[in-house]
Amino acid sequence: MDLKKGVITGVVAGIVMIALGFVFMAATGTSDWYQKTFPMMVSQQAMPFFILSIFLAGLFMGLVYSVVNPSISGAGWKKGAYYGLFVWLLAGTMWPVMMIGFAGINIWLVELIAGLIEYAITGAVIAIVYSKLK
C-alpha cells in the first residue's frame, strides 16, 4: 500500500464524487424530491456534513485502491472503471435498493444509474491519477 498515493487519489476522488453528485442531482431533477422527502438532509445545517460524507467515501475509495490495485485486471482508466463498478456493487446499490420501499421508480432508478456512472467515473479518475503519481 502506498499511503501517499492513496491519500492523494482519495482527495481527488472525493472532489470528483462531490462534483458529480451535484451534477447528477441537478440534471436528473431529483433535488426537488429530496427537498420534499428529506428536508433536514438538504438543509443548510446538514449540507456540510452531507458533503463531508461524500468526500470521505471518495477518500476511502482512493485508499482502498492503493491496496487492491495490483489485483485488478485491466490497465489505465478501464482498470479504475472496473474498480469503481465493484465499489458501486458493494456500496452504491444500497441506497437505491432501500429507496424501492418508499420512492417511485423514476427516483430510485435514476439514483441507481447515476450511482453506476458516478462510481465508474470516479474509479477511472482514481486509476489515472494513481498511475501519474511517483
Side-chain angles (χ1 to χ4, degrees):
M1 173 177 165
D2 189 333
L3 186 60
K4 178 184 171 189
K5 288 171 80 170
V7 169
I8 292 169
T9 56
V11 168
V12 171
I15 293 167
V16 168
M17 287 186 78
I18 290 167
L20 289 174
F22 280 115
V23 167
F24 283 128
M25 190 169 272
T28 61
T30 57
S31 60
D32 288 341
W33 181 84
Y34 274 102
Q35 286 179 328
K36 291 175 187 166
T37 310
F38 302 109
M40 293 304 293
M41 186 175 93
V42 294
S43 69
Q44 286 184 339
Q45 296 87 357
M47 195 53 68
F49 297 103
F50 183 65
I51 292 169
L52 177 64
S53 69
I54 294 170
F55 177 79
L56 291 175
L59 180 62
F60 188 70
M61 278 184 73
L63 289 170
V64 171
Y65 184 81
S66 70
V67 174
V68 299
N69 174 39
S71 63
I72 303 171
S73 62
W77 67 269
K78 288 182 183 179
K79 181 176 187 171
Y82 294 144
Y83 170 68
L85 293 175
F86 181 73
V87 174
W88 173 77
L89 283 171
L90 290 175
T93 58
M94 287 190 301
W95 176 239
V97 169
M98 288 188 294
M99 292 174 81
I100 292 171
F102 61 88
I105 190 171
N106 60 322
I107 299 296
W108 65 261
L109 194 57
V110 163
E111 287 289 329
L112 190 69
I113 294 168
L116 171 76
I117 295 166
E118 181 179 348
Y119 279 93
I121 290 172
T122 301
V125 169
I126 286 172
I128 291 166
V129 171
Y130 192 87
S131 69
K132 301 240 184 256
L133 296 173
K134 300 291 179 208

